[in-house]
Amino acid sequence: MRESRAMPIPDGLDGMRADAGVARLLGLSRTVVGRLADDGEVTVDGVAVGKSHKLVAGGWLDVLLPAPTEPLRVEPTPVEDLSVVYHDSDIIVVDKPVGVAAHPSVGWSGPTVVGALAAAGYRISTSGASERQGIVSRLDVGTSGLMVVAVSERAYSLLKRAFRDREVDKGYHALVQGHLDPPEGTIDAPIGRHRGNDWKFAVTAGGKPSITHYDTLEMFAAASLLDIHLETGRTHQIRVHFSALHHPCCGDLTYGADPVLAARLGLDRQWLHARSLGFAHPADGRHVEYTSPYPKDLQHALDVLRDG
């Protein structure tokens, strides 16, 4: 049986879009609230409102909550190209191939890092939601490279804190269109959800603080290879920041990449790779660092550019 929540709209949500305000008030995602609004299940003063409706403080809000869902299950599924770079009783460092999610999620039926580790017999931390136990940071399905997974409960707690406090050095390489001016610098621009697409992100005035440092490693006629270090870890941060500068990652059609160049380079995903990962080992605090070579598709794109 579905429950409802009814309450006056607080002053802090005055003027906010219904999807954003209700999501904040009830702890739901904006996507879920948007669906509820589309189905007429979000009302203000007895009248159904759309997700873009502007809330007014003092109005009476009534939301019919979504039906409870069954917990997502982790299916042990081998992933041939996923490799374990390092493991001990506290951590597992994996090199994730493209096409693999960090953990199960609604709408994703493909392989996951959690499922691959389970299939290989690795034990991971039981902290966190059941479907993403041990996961302390994530990579997009379309991004390859290094991830660390917690094995012990102490490691989970310390690594989550280290990522939150920006004490983990996350190094990426990206191939972006054109040439950056200046060739090295910092992008400090807030990121929030795209106004027209809930599954995309954009630089927005009301977004979360997002800082990206970059340096040009190699320049080609049509693109530049960048070394990137993230100070923050927003969803799609690198892709959004360089798209906003009109230098999208090669192959990233979602964020404005040239499909002709992508085809020439043989890319069917963004050229973005989590190249290095450095952090204090949770067992004794010593600094550890790991690196990952480029996968074949990204290396092929570079070879095409270098051959002219």
Side-chain angles (χ1 to χ4, degrees):
M1 183 175 179
R2 294 176 64 181
E3 298 181 43
S4 64
R5 292 285 185 274
M7 66 203 76
I9 298 170
D11 292 343
L13 301 187
D14 187 62
M16 189 175 292
R17 281 174 52 118
D19 55 355
V22 174
R24 178 179 297 183
L25 192 62
L26 300 181
L28 302 171
S29 74
R30 285 183 63 173
T31 300
V32 167
V33 175
R35 290 181 188 138
L36 294 176
D38 290 342
D39 293 339
E41 295 171 345
V42 178
T43 66
V44 175
D45 296 328
V47 178
V49 298
K51 61 185 177 183
S52 60
H53 172 82
K54 293 295 191 292
L55 299 175
V56 177
W60 191 255
L61 175 69
D62 198 328
V63 181
L64 183 61
L65 298 177
T69 57
E70 292 293 323
L72 295 171
R73 295 181 58 188
V74 175
E75 296 292 344
T77 306
V79 177
E80 183 178 349
D81 295 334
L82 185 143
S83 62
V84 172
V85 176
Y86 174 83
H87 71 94
D88 60 26
S89 58
D90 288 292
I91 62 172
I92 302 171
V93 178
V94 302
D95 199 344
K96 184 188 84 67
V98 65
V100 178
H103 56 74
S105 61
V106 175
W108 176 253
S109 59
T112 67
V113 170
V114 173
L117 291 177
Y122 288 96
R123 182 185 65 84
I124 60 177
S125 166
T126 58
S127 296
S130 59
E131 74 276 8
R132 55 178 181 267
Q133 290 177 349
I135 297 294
V136 293
S137 68
R138 294 177 290 182
L139 291 177
D140 294 343
V141 171
T143 300
S144 55
L146 296 172
M147 284 179 54
V148 60
V149 180
V151 173
S152 68
E153 308 310 310
R154 171 179 168 80
Y156 181 87
S157 177
L158 291 177
L159 287 171
K160 287 289 283 187
R161 185 184 310 160
F163 276 99
R164 183 197 66 199
D165 295 342
R166 305 179 187 178
E167 295 171 349
V168 177
D169 184 16
K170 298 169 285 185
Y172 294 77
H173 282 187
L175 184 71
V176 302
Q177 294 181 191
H179 304 146
L180 276 294
D181 184 15
E184 61 181 71
T186 295
I187 306 168
D188 186 350
I191 291 176
R193 288 194 178 273
H194 193 284
R195 297 180 93 181
N197 296 284
D198 281 342
W199 46 272
K200 285 180 64 176
F201 293 81
V203 171
T204 61
K208 295 181 180 180
S210 307
I211 301 174
T212 302
H213 306 285
Y214 71 89
D215 188 14
T216 300
L217 295 175
E218 192 171 357
M219 295 173 66
F220 309 98
S224 300
L225 180 63
L226 306 181
D227 180 37
I228 297 170
H229 289 264
L230 297 184
E231 196 167 314
T232 53
R234 309 301 175 203
T235 303
H236 297 182
Q237 179 171 322
I238 293 172
R239 301 167 65 190
V240 170
H241 269 172
F242 287 97
S243 176
L245 293 181
H246 306 293
H247 296 287
C249 293
C250 293
D252 193 359
L253 305 187
T254 298
Y255 285 102
D258 178 4
V260 175
L261 179 61
R264 179 186 157 216
L265 300 180
L267 291 171
D268 55 12
R269 54 113 162 187
Q270 66 266 16
W271 203 115
L272 180 60
H273 186 63
R275 174 75 168 177
S276 63
L277 191 62
F279 52 89
H281 194 290
D284 53 18
R286 74 185 188 279
H287 182 77
V288 293
E289 187 162 346
Y290 306 93
T291 59
S292 165
Y294 301 144
K296 291 180 180 179
D297 61 335
L298 303 190
Q299 184 62 55
H300 170 76
L302 287 181
D303 292 342
V304 171
L305 289 172
R306 287 169 178 155
D307 291 344

